[in-house]
Amino acid sequence: DDNEAHALDAASWLDCRVALARSAMLQGRPADAISLCESGLNEAKTVNGGNWIRRFEAIMCAAALRRGDDMQSVLTNILALLEKHREANAIDFDYVSALSFAASLRREIALSMADRIDAGKHLAAAHILLKCADCVLTTMAADAGWCLPSQNNLSDEEENDPDEEELRQIYEPPRSPSDVSVTGFDDNDSDDI
């Protein structure tokens, strides 16, 4: 039967729905993206598709921001999405993407603030989110067998230079996931970072 040959399983259907929603975003149609995501959320819930639910929610956050929704409410939603990732132990590329989005949003909020202390708090939080994303990506790369550069590759002369030390602290991946408040990692994985 021809209909059976072209039938999509739930996973393929939801992947297509995600692709359509992302395409709508790329075309500058956030309202259409949100509508596609709402349909996709209902479909994903019927098959307990946690990964797709989180993907649709991430697209909806980006679409809401593009539509002009309040940055603080979008930030609240993306932080809730990050918590869902942690609860599901879904520490993956979608999680890293959400971390990066949240960091970018915190930066934009900081730039719009008149109070420098509050702006600094948002920038510090953005920095922590980016360190967390870096930690996750570094762990994923190590788990995939990538050879990562040694963290102690500076000579003794360079170690005394405060500028180099400051830069090393900023760009050095965290030594363990707990340094950046990420759950879902085994403490033994920290040796691979």
Side-chain angles (χ1 to χ4, degrees), residues 99-166:
L99 285 166
S100 299
F101 182 71
S104 172
L105 196 52
R106 283 221 183 252
R107 179 186 172 275
E108 290 303 314
I109 291 171
L111 292 173
S112 70
M113 300 181 97
D115 184 338
R116 294 180 73 181
I117 293 174
D118 287 341
K121 290 177 184 176
H122 277 284
L123 289 174
H127 179 76
I128 290 169
L129 289 164
L130 291 174
K131 281 180 70 174
C132 181
D134 181 60
C135 179
V136 171
L137 288 174
T138 301
T139 301
M140 290 172 73
D143 290 347
W146 283 65
C147 295
L148 302 172
S150 170
Q151 294 180 10
N152 297 323
N153 57 357
L154 295 177
S155 70
D156 290 338
E157 293 174 18
E158 292 171 326
E159 286 183 18
N160 295 329
D161 184 352
D163 294 329
E164 289 291 326
E165 178 63 26
E166 188 174 314

Side-chain angles (χ1 to χ4, degrees), residues 2-182:
D2 257 354
N3 291 335
E4 289 179 23
H6 298 290
L8 294 175
D9 64 351
S12 298
W13 179 266
L14 290 169
D15 284 340
C16 290
R17 180 79 72 183
V18 167
L20 284 171
R22 287 180 177 156
S23 295
M25 280 296 296
L26 292 171
Q27 295 171 5
R29 301 177 309 150
D32 291 342
I34 289 173
S35 176
L36 287 162
C37 287
E38 288 170 345
S39 297
L41 277 171
N42 291 331
E43 295 163 352
K45 287 176 184 173
T46 62
V47 295
N48 293 324
N51 287 335
W52 289 287
I53 290 170
R54 290 186 296 275
R55 286 180 190 139
F56 288 125
E57 289 176 350
I59 295 168
M60 289 177 75
C61 286
L65 186 63
R66 186 112 187 241
R67 183 177 60 189
D69 288 12
D70 176 61
M71 285 190 289
Q72 192 62 48
S73 67
V74 175
L75 178 62
T76 299
N77 291 337
I78 199 74
L79 293 176
L81 176 60
L82 288 170
E83 186 59 33
K84 289 178 184 178
H85 273 276
R86 287 186 212 109
E87 288 171 359
N89 199 24
I91 310 301
D92 53 13
F93 286 115
D94 290 334
Y95 180 66
V96 170
S97 180
L99 285 166
S100 299
F101 182 71
S104 172
L105 196 52
R106 283 221 183 252
R107 179 186 172 275
E108 290 303 314
I109 291 171
L111 292 173
S112 70
M113 300 181 97
D115 184 338
R116 294 180 73 181
I117 293 174
D118 287 341
K121 290 177 184 176
H122 277 284
L123 289 174
H127 179 76
I128 290 169
L129 289 164
L130 291 174
K131 281 180 70 174
C132 181
D134 181 60
C135 179
V136 171
L137 288 174
T138 301
T139 301
M140 290 172 73
D143 290 347
W146 283 65
C147 295
L148 302 172
S150 170
Q151 294 180 10
N152 297 323
N153 57 357
L154 295 177
S155 70
D156 290 338
E157 293 174 18
E158 292 171 326
E159 286 183 18
N160 295 329
D161 184 352
D163 294 329
E164 289 291 326
E165 178 63 26
E166 188 174 314
L167 286 175
R168 188 171 1 138
Q169 288 175 6
I170 292 171
Y171 293 107
E172 182 176 282
R175 286 187 171 74
S176 75
S178 62
D179 291 345
V180 289
S181 303
V182 176

